[in-house]
Amino acid sequence: LTKPHSDFESVELHAFADASKTGYGTAIYARYKTSESAEAFLIASKSRITPLKRNFTIPELELLATLMAAKLLQTVQKEWHD
């Protein structure tokens, strides 16, 4: 995980989560901003196939994806500060 250099004004972490009938996943991006431009980089991602044991609804899968995003974001933030 590359930490920002001193020429960056700010760094933001963005988490995206989504789900479908067949699976769900999340992606964490870092957005580096300078006075002249901004760049975004994929930091981490994770996905899962929908379990077949239970008939999940799309809203339930969206919640699972959101939980996955929150946990992955915590892991990224912890590694970022170490």
Side-chain angles (χ1 to χ4, degrees):
L1 189 58
T2 306
K3 293 185 180 181
H5 302 289
S6 60
D7 57 337
F8 290 109
E9 289 179 358
S10 67
V11 178
E12 302 169 349
L13 292 176
H14 295 266
F16 297 95
D18 199 13
S20 70
K21 291 180 183 180
T22 57
Y24 57 98
T26 186
I28 309 294
Y29 287 86
R31 183 174 182 262
Y32 296 95
K33 185 178 176 187
T34 66
S35 59
E36 299 173 4
S37 66
E39 295 181 57
F41 300 95
L42 178 66
I43 300 296
S45 63
K46 199 170 191 178
S47 63
R48 293 285 180 260
I49 297 172
T50 301
L52 298 175
K53 293 181 181 179
R54 184 172 162 232
N55 192 15
F56 285 95
T57 64
I58 297 296
E60 288 173 324
L61 293 170
E62 291 283 352
L63 287 172
L64 288 172
T66 302
L67 178 61
M68 180 189 289
K71 289 181 178 181
L72 187 58
L73 186 58
Q74 282 182 332
T75 300
V76 168
Q77 287 174 329
K78 181 179 178 254
E79 291 298 320
W80 193 280
H81 293 294
D82 285 347

